[in-house]
Amino acid sequence: MPHPPHQSLQVAAVQSFPGRAAAVPKPRVPARAEDGPWHAEAVCRRDEAGLFFAPSKEPTASRLSREEAAKRVCARCPVMVACREHALLQPEPYGVWGGLTAAERRVVLARMRRRAAELRQAPGAGPIAAAG
């Protein structure tokens, strides 16, 4: 099974920043076998590893600039949606995945949880109400 594109990027990031291996998290493995095929088409497989994962103690201005550059790579990627879904389902706690930073993914997940809770609590929230 192919590894997520960022998994190889994490290894390269460690090699790019000797002595900073602790800053790069242990790679995650896709939860389902069907997650694999999109990885081969990911544009980030060809880009610099440090773009998607922060080095240790990165200054804020540098981080923001790096994340914007990573998002530009994601914006031209044909599998951005699959990558984002993977990152939200795992959930991936580090790096830029599917055009979203870790902080942005936490916001999306919180909104999804809030929406699900609202649907469960809504009076008369049956299958039809939940679908709309």
Side-chain angles (χ1 to χ4, degrees):
M1 165 191 280
H3 295 290
H6 294 318
Q7 195 165 0
S8 59
L9 292 174
Q10 287 173 325
V11 171
V14 170
Q15 294 167 350
S16 299
F17 299 101
R20 295 188 181 179
V24 179
K26 182 178 177 185
R28 292 176 171 250
V29 177
R32 302 173 313 212
E34 60 268 19
D35 284 344
W38 65 268
H39 299 130
E41 300 299 319
V43 172
C44 62
R45 292 181 68 89
R46 298 178 293 275
D47 284 297
E48 183 180 319
L51 201 57
F52 297 92
F53 293 94
S56 161
K57 299 180 182 176
E58 181 179 32
T60 301
S62 297
R63 177 183 54 81
L64 294 173
S65 176
R66 179 188 49 74
E67 288 173 346
E68 285 305 314
K71 288 178 180 186
R72 286 192 298 273
V73 171
C74 292
R76 69 177 200 265
C77 184
V79 295
M80 184 182 77
V81 173
C83 179
R84 182 177 294 179
E85 288 174 356
H86 162 83
L88 293 170
L89 288 172
Q90 285 299 312
E92 292 290 351
Y94 304 101
V96 175
W97 288 79
L100 297 176
T101 65
E104 291 167 337
R105 289 191 303 277
R106 285 190 296 273
V107 169
V108 169
L109 289 169
R111 286 180 182 160
M112 290 169 63
R113 285 190 298 271
R114 216 172 19 254
R115 178 72 174 140
E118 289 169 359
L119 289 174
R120 284 191 304 271
Q121 295 174 358
I128 294 173

